[in-house]
Amino acid sequence: MAKRGKKYQDAVKLIDKEQVYNPEEAIELVKKTSIANFDETVEAAVRLGVDPRKNDQQLRGAVVLPHGTGKTQRVLVFAKGDKAQEAEQAGADYVGEEDLVNQVQQGWFDFDVVIATPDMMAQVGKLGKILGPKGLMPNPKTGTVTMDVTKAVEEVKAGKVEYRVDKSGNIHAPIGKISFDTEKLAENFNALVDALVKAKPAAAKGTYVRGTAVASTMGPGVTISTSTLNLK
């Protein structure tokens, strides 16, 4: 493992491993221990009591953060006719059909989120091997395969983030920028946790939310005690 720099080591000393932190306290520490000279992303990590190897415990979805992520998302919509017009009016950055499918096949990636109407999925399906590994393939579970393109585009622009449980049962998602107020970051964090609790698979047994932490891009992680969270 690479040796951490002095700034990082000094930041770690500010975190009391024995202390029980609630979201606001943890986020305050993340802000104090931010060591980069740019506006870092603050990320939440949530360890869940699920077995992702089982189909009925694979968790994937999306949540609109009340204060957004601080990042302007470039939205690509595959749609035609009236739905293409709707997408443009809703603020989509790129809207098209086969022309854009061809562009993506040729290596064009000037977008962050892809939305498609169901009738376009036969063509968009050709991009599975290109978009899939980048986590960009439209999916009904995340609301990105839909006829309601207006809602889908507006939600992304408002700060919608997707989440997906990894093979170890963890969720990682951005909850804003280090420049955000502590209160706004805490509300975004709570919105993410609430969404995960609501999405709990019926097959999940035992303690569901087993651990949570927050960290900035370059800073150390700060553990949030699950006893301080509203998990109902």
Side-chain angles (χ1 to χ4, degrees), residues 130-144:
I130 301 171
L131 297 178
K134 294 179 181 289
L136 291 171
M137 192 66 184
N139 189 301
K141 289 182 180 177
T142 58
T144 48

Side-chain angles (χ1 to χ4, degrees), residues 27-213:
I27 288 163
E28 273 293 332
L29 265 177
V30 167
K31 290 169 78 70
K32 277 182 188 172
T33 56
S34 171
I35 57 175
N37 57 4
F38 61 91
D39 194 10
E40 296 177 85
T41 294
V42 179
E43 186 177 84
V46 184
R47 187 162 54 88
L48 298 174
V50 296
D51 184 350
R53 294 171 299 178
K54 297 178 178 174
N55 288 335
D56 57 1
Q57 294 187 49
Q58 289 178 0
L59 198 62
R60 183 175 185 180
V63 58
V64 178
L65 300 178
H67 303 292
T69 62
K71 180 184 177 184
T72 301
Q73 299 277 49
R74 298 164 299 174
V75 182
L76 164 61
V77 178
F78 290 108
K80 53 191 174 185
D82 291 345
K83 291 299 170 184
Q85 278 188 318
E86 278 182 39
E88 287 173 355
Q89 289 168 359
D93 299 274
Y94 309 102
V95 182
E97 303 176 44
E98 196 152 354
D99 54 330
L100 288 184
V101 171
N102 292 336
Q103 272 188 253
V104 174
Q105 284 177 323
Q106 288 162 20
W108 174 67
F109 286 108
D110 290 342
F111 49 87
D112 304 296
V113 178
V114 182
I115 295 165
T117 52
D119 59 327
M120 287 297 300
M121 284 308 291
Q123 291 185 53
V124 178
K126 300 172 189 174
L127 304 174
K129 289 183 179 177
I130 301 171
L131 297 178
K134 294 179 181 289
L136 291 171
M137 192 66 184
N139 189 301
K141 289 182 180 177
T142 58
T144 48
V145 176
T146 177
M147 288 301 285
D148 194 347
V149 291
T150 298
K151 180 184 176 186
V153 172
E154 287 177 349
E155 283 187 343
V156 169
K157 292 292 186 179
K160 180 178 180 179
V161 296
E162 295 184 11
Y163 57 80
R164 186 175 191 172
V165 69
D166 65 20
K167 59 186 179 183
S168 300
N170 299 310
I171 294 276
H172 295 272
I175 57 168
K177 294 289 186 179
I178 206 79
S179 58
F180 281 24
D181 293 343
T182 297
E183 187 178 340
K184 289 181 178 179
L185 285 167
E187 286 175 8
N188 279 354
F189 172 82
N190 288 328
L192 171 67
V193 173
D194 287 347
L196 294 176
V197 170
K198 286 174 184 169
K200 178 183 178 181
K205 305 298 180 190
T207 303
Y208 179 54
V209 178
R210 299 191 173 182
T212 58

